[in-house]
Amino acid sequence: MDKNIILDNIRTKLGIDSLNALQKQTLEAPKGNIILISATGSGKTLAFATRMLSKIKKAHEKVQCVVIAPSRELVTQIAGVVRPIATGFKTVALYGGHNMLDEKNSLTPCPDIIIATPGRLLDHLQRGNITIHNPSTLVLDEYDKSLELGFEGEMKRIVSRIGAPESIILTSATKLDQLPPYLGLTKYELIEAVDTANPRSRMDVIHVDSFQPDKLDTLTDLLRTFSPASRTIVFVNHRESAERVYKRLKEENIDAALYHGALDQNQRGNAIELLANGSVPVLVATDLASRGLDIEQVDHVVHYHLPINEQTWTHRNGRTARVDAEGEIYVITSDNDNVPPYITWDREYQPPHTPQAPMQSSFSTLYIDAGKKEKISRGDIVGFLIAHSGLNAGEIGRISLNDHNALVAVPRTKVTDILNAIKSQKLKGKKIRISPLKP
């Protein structure tokens, strides 16, 4: 694909006037394999996408590029960057929780670019829904996560089935000490964005001492010092802990969403959207949320549990202070914690104890039981709400449009009136279920 066309698409479709230093270096690197190490939020996705597309040949019925990422959320975010700039080339996203028949149909005619989670890609390969042979580029995004024990078997089978890529691109914010031998990656160029690899200067790291071992009272006091319009991710180390913290926050009337691996893909996606569109100010999450999630302006990261290693510390903190933004990192410790040397802070803070008071954002989310596959667009949703609910365009918040549903943020105080006004109305000539989405 011609570089000038790629750059023009980046300007017109993504609204980015020019590539940053990391992206330029990746695009102009000599032919061959690349390991790309750079902080979250530094533009790695656009860097490898630009490089990958510059090597793609004329569109024909053959998979030319394969991008593998460890989570559904990361796959959809990558697809959102690649599709607009890969004009003339068919791009499909494959991931768990996605309708399998829809995905199978999307593979005919054969796509040029596949972006997938390891398990779902292997499923399609084993079913014979798609054949991949010697693609021009194989990208493993967040490769240190994709190549961990849980994914290793799947990755080995995928690599053995797709043949030898012309080039391999590995990306992450942290390095692996040793590359898996089945990749056959003996020669590569290391591109490391030293100036952005540690955004520590934009982070205010704050220590909060808890006088109780379980830290829940300290956490709720801390959260109540934040604005309900801000975005906070509270990290814990176990699913059971996430459930317990989430339950306590709900009891304290602090609006929160829950994110961990035992939830299904739709539940996890909805939780991220509730935080991103301003319907909840707090997300309680395991380290599944520490990688790849592209949520604009996360103001605070709270370590309710200390991270298990330095890589986890880096990735958790990477949810805030993205690109040029600033962020606050809170580390809650009790007497039971042993603080590792890689955790340092700038100052101490003790939040005041406050009586129970609701912490709610000004938005709520409506769930619309139709999406792209039903030929619904964001414009259709905006027009419908303006015409029938009494809202004006400025009151309608972020809209997330999925294959078979859509989520739209609306003023919390108007939800009941909106639902009453639209209950007998049709969207694009069809009666469609619209209901509040609760965490």
Side-chain angles (χ1 to χ4, degrees), residues 208-221 248 304 332-337 350 353:
V208 178
D209 191 14
S210 173
F211 302 111
Q212 297 176 331
D214 70 2
K215 310 179 188 177
L216 280 172
D217 289 341
T218 304
L219 175 65
T220 56
D221 286 342
R248 174 63 180 274
Y304 178 79
I332 304 178
T333 68
S334 71
D335 290 342
N336 292 340
D337 288 315
Q350 199 63 45
H353 176 67

Side-chain angles (χ1 to χ4, degrees), residues 38-347:
S38 184
T40 300
S42 58
K44 289 194 300 291
T45 300
L46 189 57
F48 76 69
T50 306
R51 169 78 176 194
M52 175 181 76
L53 293 176
S54 72
K55 305 300 179 184
I56 200 169
K57 301 177 177 64
K58 182 179 179 181
H60 52 80
E61 292 190 359
K62 177 184 184 298
V63 178
Q64 301 188 62
C65 300
V66 178
V67 182
I68 298 177
S71 70
R72 160 192 171 165
E73 292 79 12
L74 193 49
V75 165
T76 57
Q77 287 168 19
I78 294 169
V81 172
V82 173
R83 276 199 184 103
I85 61 177
T87 51
F89 296 94
K90 182 179 178 181
T91 302
V92 299
L94 312 173
Y95 49 84
H98 206 195
N99 184 285
M100 193 67 171
L101 181 59
D102 286 345
E103 287 191 351
K104 182 179 178 181
N105 292 339
S106 75
L107 296 172
T108 304
C110 183
D112 300 284
I113 303 166
I114 288 178
I115 304 167
T117 53
R120 185 50 68 97
L121 177 58
L122 183 60
D123 195 358
H124 283 291
L125 290 169
Q126 291 174 333
R127 290 170 185 253
N129 295 340
I130 190 70
T131 299
I132 303 173
H133 182 66
N134 298 347
S136 64
T137 305
L138 170 64
V139 179
L140 304 186
D141 196 31
E142 299 286 357
Y143 75 90
D144 52 332
K145 181 68 175 178
S146 291
L147 298 177
E148 283 179 356
L149 183 61
F151 290 109
E152 187 174 17
E154 293 173 344
M155 295 301 301
K156 282 183 178 179
R157 292 194 287 275
I158 291 170
V159 170
S160 67
R161 282 176 173 267
I162 70 175
E166 294 177 20
S167 66
I168 296 174
I169 301 175
L170 307 182
T171 87
S172 182
T174 52
K175 297 178 185 178
L176 274 183
D177 294 332
Q178 186 175 5
L179 297 176
Y182 60 81
L183 282 178
L185 200 64
T186 56
K187 295 182 179 180
Y188 56 85
E189 178 165 352
L190 177 64
I191 299 177
E192 187 169 8
V194 177
D195 57 335
T196 60
N198 180 14
R200 181 65 174 83
S201 62
R202 302 194 307 277
M203 295 177 180
D204 186 14
V205 183
I206 303 152
H207 176 232
V208 178
D209 191 14
S210 173
F211 302 111
Q212 297 176 331
D214 70 2
K215 310 179 188 177
L216 280 172
D217 289 341
T218 304
L219 175 65
T220 56
D221 286 342
L222 175 64
L223 293 177
R224 284 202 175 94
T225 67
F226 301 158
S227 166
S230 66
R231 295 185 179 103
T232 300
I233 301 179
V234 177
F235 281 107
V236 300
N237 287 347
H238 311 287
R239 296 171 182 174
E240 296 78 8
S241 300
E243 297 277 357
R244 185 171 64 90
V245 171
Y246 171 74
K247 180 181 178 182
R248 174 63 180 274
L249 296 187
K250 299 299 285 183
E251 292 171 351
E252 295 281 340
N253 289 318
I254 296 174
D255 275 359
L258 181 64
Y259 187 97
H260 60 64
L263 301 173
D264 67 35
Q265 297 278 10
N266 287 331
Q267 290 172 317
R268 282 159 41 193
N270 289 347
I272 295 302
E273 184 59 24
L274 287 169
L275 181 70
N277 72 14
S279 292
V280 298
V282 179
L283 180 71
V284 180
T286 61
D287 287 316
L288 185 64
S290 67
R291 296 168 180 262
L293 297 181
D294 188 12
I295 304 171
E296 291 184 6
Q297 196 54 50
V298 172
D299 303 281
H300 319 105
V301 165
V302 178
H303 297 269
Y304 178 79
H305 288 148
L306 297 182
I308 59 173
N309 55 39
E310 188 171 3
Q311 286 188 347
T312 303
W313 168 255
T314 298
H315 283 288
R316 285 182 179 183
N317 293 344
R319 298 308 97 208
T320 189
R322 295 167 67 83
V323 191
D324 296 324
E326 296 182 351
E328 291 183 334
I329 313 293
Y330 290 85
V331 183
I332 304 178
T333 68
S334 71
D335 290 342
N336 292 340
D337 288 315
N338 294 315
V339 180
Y342 57 80
I343 295 180
T344 60
W345 44 75
D346 302 313
R347 58 188 174 95

Side-chain angles (χ1 to χ4, degrees), residues 1-12 85-87:
M1 190 173 177
D2 185 86
K3 291 181 182 179
N4 291 328
I5 295 176
I6 298 171
L7 295 175
D8 186 59
N9 286 343
I10 290 171
R11 282 190 294 270
T12 58
I85 61 177
T87 51

